[in-house]
Amino acid sequence: MASVKKAAKATEQYLHRIFTIPEAPDSTLGRIEKEISENLAGFLGDRIVATNNALTDIENDFCDATLPEEPEFVSDHMHHLLDKLVSQSVHTSSPSFIGHMTSALPYFILSLTKLMVGLNQNLVKVETSKAFTPLERQVLGMMHNLVYQEQESFYQQWMHSANHSLGAFCSGGTVANITALWVARNNLLKADGSFKGVAREGLFNAFKHYGYDGLAILVSARGHYSLKKSADLLGIGQENVIEIPTDEFNKIDCQKLLVKCRELTEKNIKILSIVGVAGTTETGNIDPLDKLADIAQQYQCNFHVDAAWGGATLLSNKYRPLLKGIERADSVTIDAHKQMYVPMGAGLIVFKDPTAVSAIEHHAEYIIRKGAKDLGSHTLEGSRPGMAMLVYSCLHIISRPGYEMLFNQGIEKANYFADLIDQHSDFELITRPELCLLTYRYVPESVQKILKTGTSLQQAKINVLLDKLTKIIQKRQRENGKSFVSRTKIEAARYDGAKTLVFRVVLANPLTSREILVDILQEQCELAKESISLLPEFNEYI
Ligand SMILES: *Cc1c(COP(=O)(O)O)cnc(C)c1O
């Protein structure tokens, strides 16, 4: 009995300690903190070691559902984390990890994040985020300015107005896109006469009142899957996200879009929104936004631009013209955690019209009261962290010209890599980079010749084999753990739109050198030669 009491007392003291006394500098946690703050890259390079463990093996380390019944010392726990979690993590900040939109972060982010987490402000309401609320409104103003370039007086008028919002922060592009379409839906099906609006009465009554037989969202075939999620959540239905084919440059075909608009209108289906993509996730291309704005105007519908990945390009004066027309969008999605070197959890949307958000306004008596400046009255999410601080700091520390330099270099590097692929006799460039993203595949020279001259049946047969080869090479490269490119399946213009498996490269890390790119291609070449022997069907072509 006495020992039980003694243990309880020890636990109580320990719990008090974890809230009051930091770990000593010579403890495991203290040493890790020092290592991370002095040399994060070295730390990650040293500690991420088991890169080729299979996922199912890793699952064996995380299959115990028992709730811990005894407190664990932080240091003991750190050893456990390093051993099981860190060592088997993905080295996304490695300069040879060029497969995804997640990459390296500048050093100062670490300290800033610690400060942000330490402050633990909740941006849903002013009562838990005084200072952070005005800061977030300012950052939204800056991002709004990046897109819409309004006069200074516009920002003075709207930035801190309680009943208006220039935009909203959220966890990412998905929630930003949902928010955009939510606002669009509620503004389209707004209160009118005795009808109290879709927000209060639901879609069924809204359709009855307005006399529509359905709603549609139009986007190119390269649109992001989050639009389907949005349609699902908003009661519009995934099948009513209509994919318009793209041209050979992966941009929406405006002629086909117009035909579809006419067809839908004749069927009494109201177009809720035309969504332009500025930087498609798979190929990095930008839709003709100006033309889309014209069509949206013609059909009097909402125009949203999903610039989750590509939007940050507006910071580059050199490449800003590629996104011309974006300033005519009703709303724009931008992910700061993609190209702006902010850690994950930093998505945002900006609205052309600061009154647009009144369509989704919500209140509660204990917080976000009417007329108060709480950000939570105009956001989908409730409790939210102060990620705006990181965007704010990055904008100041890196600055617009700094971002421009990083983006311009990334795009130049992508073009260099595309040239390497073009010049290599055994590779085939599938999509040329418009920004810093490109796709390609390995095709032995002899096979390329057959593809050029062969019948479409032969082509199809070979492409099936090449898909298998691409998949094997990509998996092996990932398992080797030296470098990483991703893969996706896209309709390739040069094969009459046949779905083709390709390598996908995103050049976001400023430390990815040209030498690294040469090495990555070389490694793929070697892996390809080994892998072809695993596919005896290739024998008749090489
Ligand atoms: C990444 C991306 C999204 C989704 O963003 P998340 O931050 O992953 O939710 C939406 N649209 C495009 C074009 C994207 O690239």
Side-chain angles (χ1 to χ4, degrees):
M1 199 54 207
S3 69
V4 173
K5 260 193 176 161
K6 219 165 141 189
K9 185 77 192 161
T11 300
E12 195 184 336
Q13 279 171 354
Y14 178 62
L15 293 181
H16 187 258
R17 232 189 91 170
I18 59 173
F19 282 95
T20 49
I21 308 168
E23 290 281 305
D26 62 347
S27 66
T28 307
L29 181 66
R31 285 201 307 272
I32 290 173
E33 278 207 78
K34 187 162 180 283
E35 257 186 82
I36 290 176
S37 58
E38 282 174 4
N39 181 9
L40 176 68
F43 174 86
L44 295 177
D46 289 349
R47 304 294 180 143
I48 301 179
V49 286
T51 43
N52 55 2
N53 284 12
L55 185 61
T56 44
D57 288 338
I58 301 176
E59 279 167 357
N60 288 332
D61 289 328
F62 298 96
C63 61
D64 183 1
T66 320
L67 294 171
E69 280 298 328
E70 242 180 83
E72 200 175 333
F73 282 115
V74 177
S75 289
D76 294 342
H77 184 67
M78 288 313 292
H79 283 296
H80 173 73
L81 286 183
L82 287 178
D83 183 33
K84 300 295 182 201
L85 189 69
V86 178
S87 71
Q88 306 190 88
S89 286
V90 176
H91 198 348
T92 58
S93 59
S94 156
S96 47
F97 183 95
I98 56 168
H100 284 300
M101 291 167 172
T102 309
S103 112
L105 298 169
Y107 268 88
F108 64 82
I109 285 289
L110 225 55
S111 313
L112 293 183
T113 306
K114 215 165 151 181
L115 183 59
M116 182 195 89
V117 171
L119 283 164
N120 201 26
Q121 305 287 292
N122 184 351
L123 280 278
V124 73
K125 55 191 185 287
V126 174
E127 284 175 4
T128 49
S129 68
K130 211 172 75 181
F132 268 69
T133 292
L135 170 101
E136 184 167 300
R137 284 179 180 272
Q138 182 190 354
V139 178
L140 287 168
M142 292 159 94
M143 297 305 287
H144 189 285
N145 193 5
L146 176 67
V147 174
Y148 295 108
Q149 301 182 310
E150 298 284 358
Q151 301 291 322
E152 200 189 317
S153 58
F154 174 93
Y155 295 105
Q156 293 313 317
Q157 184 177 358
W158 302 114
M159 192 182 284
H160 295 291
S161 165
N163 297 321
H164 303 85
S165 283
L166 297 175
F169 260 86
C170 52
S171 64
T174 300
V175 176
N177 283 339
I178 294 171
T179 306
L181 294 167
W182 182 27
V183 169
R185 186 197 71 165
N186 289 12
N187 274 318
L188 175 71
L189 306 173
K190 57 179 182 282
D192 174 43
S194 62
F195 175 60
K196 296 200 281 282
V198 66
R200 294 179 64 186
E201 293 197 30
L203 269 182
F204 183 74
N205 280 2
F207 282 177
K208 268 204 304 194
H209 178 80
Y210 281 101
Y212 297 138
D213 286 330
L215 295 180
I217 296 163
L218 303 180
V219 67
S220 92
R222 294 267 180 275
H224 191 263
Y225 65 87
S226 56
L227 298 171
K228 286 202 174 140
K229 275 192 198 170
S230 314
D232 176 355
L233 276 169
L234 294 168
I236 292 156
Q238 292 185 23
E239 287 187 5
N240 298 314
V241 176
I242 297 172
E243 292 182 5
I244 307 296
T246 50
D247 64 15
E248 59 181 313
F249 303 110
N250 303 291
K251 295 165 187 278
I252 192 166
D253 182 327
C254 287
Q255 265 343 92
K256 292 191 173 132
L257 173 65
L258 275 168
V259 169
K260 187 50 92 176
C261 286
R262 226 171 289 141
E263 194 184 302
L264 289 166
T265 309
E266 275 163 20
K267 283 203 266 184
N268 195 32
I269 293 176
K270 174 67 191 172
I271 300 164
L272 169 64
S273 180
I274 292 178
V275 180
V277 190
T280 63
T281 318
E282 289 169 294
T283 62
N285 294 104
I286 303 159
D287 280 337
L289 302 177
D290 237 348
K291 279 193 206 152
L292 292 184
D294 289 340
I295 298 172
Q297 201 171 2
Q298 185 185 339
Y299 280 87
Q300 302 228 323
C301 67
N302 171 274
F303 175 37
H304 173 64
V305 173
D306 182 359
W309 180 69
T313 311
L314 293 166
L315 289 159
S316 161
N317 290 343
K318 182 172 177 190
Y319 291 103
R320 184 181 172 97
L322 292 176
L323 288 88
K324 192 173 175 308
I326 197 168
E327 70 287 351
R328 296 172 65 195
D330 293 295
S331 51
V332 177
T333 288
I334 298 178
D335 259 344
H337 64 218
K338 284 195 180 146
Q339 293 213 75
M340 290 180 73
Y341 301 101
V342 173
M344 250 163 301
L348 62 94
I349 178 169
V350 286
F351 298 102
K352 188 180 185 72
D353 173 6
T355 64
V357 288
S358 63
I360 57 162
E361 199 164 293
H362 277 255
H363 296 286
E365 282 308 326
Y366 76 108
I367 49 167
I368 57 175
R369 298 174 192 95
K370 259 199 164 90
K373 296 197 170 179
D374 304 310
L375 293 161
S377 55
H378 296 138
T379 57
L380 174 57
E381 290 169 58
S383 298
R384 279 187 308 110
M387 295 301 286
M389 171 185 141
L390 302 181
V391 181
Y392 178 78
S393 298
C394 276
L395 280 169
H396 276 279
I397 294 169
I398 298 172
S399 82
R400 195 216 42 87
Y403 274 116
E404 162 143 31
M405 195 177 284
L406 293 169
F407 296 159
N408 292 0
Q409 283 170 359
I411 295 172
E412 279 155 30
K413 233 180 323 190
N415 280 303
Y416 168 79
F417 196 42
D419 289 343
L420 277 186
I421 291 162
D422 260 346
Q423 286 154 18
H424 198 298
S425 53
D426 294 333
F427 282 95
E428 185 180 75
L429 192 64
I430 299 290
T431 60
R432 190 160 284 286
E434 189 170 8
L435 299 174
C436 60
L437 202 165
L438 60 128
T439 64
Y440 63 102
R441 64 176 182 169
Y442 180 87
V443 188
E445 197 174 7
S446 55
V447 178
Q448 284 186 32
K449 286 196 183 118
I450 306 175
L451 274 176
K452 259 193 206 117
T453 55
T455 63
S456 53
L457 189 69
Q458 267 176 323
Q459 275 191 4
K461 260 177 79 181
I462 292 176
N463 278 329
V464 170
L465 275 181
L466 286 170
D467 281 0
K468 280 191 197 164
L469 181 63
T470 306
K471 189 170 169 180
I472 296 173
I473 298 170
Q474 194 266 349
K475 277 178 81 169
R476 289 186 146 205
Q477 192 167 25
R478 188 184 65 201
E479 283 161 13
N480 272 357
K482 271 195 297 197
S483 54
F484 173 80
V485 305
S486 59
R487 65 166 198 263
T488 188
K489 207 166 196 174
I490 54 170
E491 299 95 354
R494 66 196 289 172
Y495 297 112
D496 295 331
K499 282 259 186 187
T500 306
L501 203 67
V502 295
F503 301 126
R504 168 175 168 271
V505 158
V506 189
L507 291 172
N509 189 331
L511 303 179
T512 304
S513 64
R514 295 183 175 209
E515 291 70 36
I516 288 175
L517 296 177
V518 171
D519 288 348
I520 287 176
L521 220 51
Q522 182 57 31
E523 188 189 5
Q524 287 184 321
C525 224
E526 281 156 23
L527 288 171
K529 286 183 180 136
E530 288 167 30
S531 310
I532 281 186
S533 59
L534 300 175
L535 296 167
E537 307 100 297
F538 258 113
N539 287 343
E540 60 177 295
Y541 304 112
I542 48 178

